[in-house]
Amino acid sequence: YIHAQESSKIEHIQINQESSEGVTHASVYATVSKDAVVRSFIFNTSGKINRKNLNLSLTAPGSHGESYA
């Protein structure tokens, strides 16, 4: 769980390596406060099926989130 406090900037980077037959399904949760930014980058190097959900709660004006996979 990520909590970005007011005016903070967070870079979340996750690199996953599974077996070639691996199946992954998971979530990342983030609460983003006023004028804060959360950027999430998820890179899967292998695996049969990979799914990662980013659930952002933008709680105030100026809060911002980005997801890259």
Side-chain angles (χ1 to χ4, degrees), residues 3-34:
H3 180 75
Q5 296 180 354
E6 188 171 326
S7 300
S8 64
K9 293 182 178 23
I10 296 176
E11 300 273 339
H12 169 257
I13 300 170
Q14 186 170 9
I15 300 171
N16 299 315
Q17 183 177 3
E18 303 291 337
S19 72
S20 62
E21 295 299 312
V23 176
T24 303
H25 183 217
S27 296
V28 175
Y29 297 90
T31 300
V32 187
S33 299
K34 181 180 178 184

Side-chain angles (χ1 to χ4, degrees), residues 33-49:
S33 299
K34 181 180 178 184
D35 297 325
V37 176
V38 171
R39 290 185 182 94
S40 179
F41 176 77
I42 299 168
F43 180 70
N44 295 297
T45 62
S46 58
K48 187 174 183 178
I49 299 173

